[in-house]
Amino acid sequence: MADAPVRVVIVDDHSIFRSGLRADLDASVEVVGEAADAASAIEVIEATQPDVVLLDVHLPAGRSAASAPDAAGGEAVIRGASPVVPATRFLALSVSDAAEDVVRVIRAGARGYITKGSSGAEVSRAVHAVAEGDAVFSPRLAGFVLDAFGAAVGETAATSDELDRLSAREQEVMRLIARGYAYKEVAAELFISMKTVESHVSAVLRKLQLSSRYELTAWASERRLL
């Protein structure tokens, strides 16, 4: 039996963009809701509980049922919806490639950030990657994230005993994952299976006492290992 489609909600204040994106997404992605502002987005996300939310960074606030203005922006959507739908993941899809926009929405909890210049196929692949727990960034945006969570000038490199906890292969996997590679990309790069990649990532996180790939990225960046 074929895998179930990834269920997504599209949040963008331009209806033409939402319609175009819906039409361009692969058949493996099912759009279960749309919203044009932050307030209505939170309502739609809570009602549909999608796997992934595709959202613009710059959104009008909208108004709640009580007619009081709510907070605006993609980060407001993430912070408002995440406590209610903790399993839902957020992927920013914006025309902006400004460093402050990227950093702000990632700090809020987005698992990726790609630009609107991406094709429907690229967005669909990013949706699947995020749904599977990977982080996805357009190539030039990854540097912003690393810089934002990186080391201060003058910080020393990791001590040898920290890296000695990892095997040579685990160090290779660690660097690629920390740079934002998807599991499939790591597998292709190192000519190993995805199951092996998953095993190595689990071992790396356990040995370094980290809980997620986001913490791993920060850990590696602070020690200038990327």
Side-chain angles (χ1 to χ4, degrees):
M1 183 174 68
D3 292 338
V6 178
R7 302 171 67 255
V8 305
V9 164
I10 300 174
V11 182
D12 193 281
D13 59 335
H14 294 93
S15 61
I16 292 177
F17 176 78
R18 296 197 307 271
S19 299
L21 179 59
R22 180 193 281 265
D24 283 346
L25 291 171
D26 291 349
S28 62
V29 177
E30 178 187 3
V31 178
V32 296
E34 296 182 10
D37 57 60
S40 59
I42 293 172
E43 293 177 358
V44 171
I45 293 165
E46 291 179 0
T48 59
Q49 301 194 15
D51 301 308
V52 177
V53 176
L54 280 164
L55 78 164
D56 196 3
V57 174
H58 301 291
L59 291 169
R63 289 181 176 271
S64 65
S67 296
D70 293 316
E75 69 274 16
V77 175
I78 297 170
R79 292 194 172 104
S82 292
V84 183
V85 286
T88 294
R89 297 183 168 115
F90 296 84
L91 173 62
L93 178 60
S94 178
V95 70
S96 171
D97 61 0
E100 58 270 24
D101 287 336
V102 178
V103 172
R104 189 172 67 248
V105 76
I106 295 302
R107 286 191 187 281
R111 298 184 71 91
Y113 193 119
I114 57 179
T115 61
K116 287 183 176 178
S118 305
S119 67
E122 289 170 335
V123 176
S124 298
R125 286 195 295 270
V127 165
H128 278 277
V130 168
E132 292 168 6
D134 287 337
V136 180
F137 300 96
S138 294
R140 75 179 297 269
L141 304 184
F144 296 153
V145 178
L146 297 180
D147 289 344
F149 296 95
V153 175
E155 250 186 314
T156 58
T159 55
S160 59
D161 62 321
E162 285 180 301
L163 287 177
D164 284 346
R165 300 174 195 170
L166 308 180
S167 68
R169 178 62 90 186
E170 287 169 349
Q171 290 186 37
E172 290 178 320
V173 171
M174 176 271 293
R175 285 185 169 89
L176 293 174
I177 291 293
R179 288 171 183 162
Y181 281 57
Y183 284 13
K184 291 179 181 177
E185 293 172 326
V186 175
E189 182 78 14
L190 299 180
F191 302 101
I192 56 179
S193 69
M194 275 188 59
K195 188 173 182 63
T196 300
V197 173
E198 292 170 358
S199 296
H200 285 319
V201 171
S202 295
V204 168
L205 294 177
R206 184 182 69 253
K207 290 179 181 180
L208 298 179
Q209 298 182 339
L210 302 172
S211 61
S212 69
R213 64 182 300 156
Y214 297 104
E215 290 187 5
L216 178 61
T217 295
W219 182 91
S221 184
E222 285 170 3
R223 290 157 180 77
R224 304 188 182 196
L225 297 174
L226 299 175

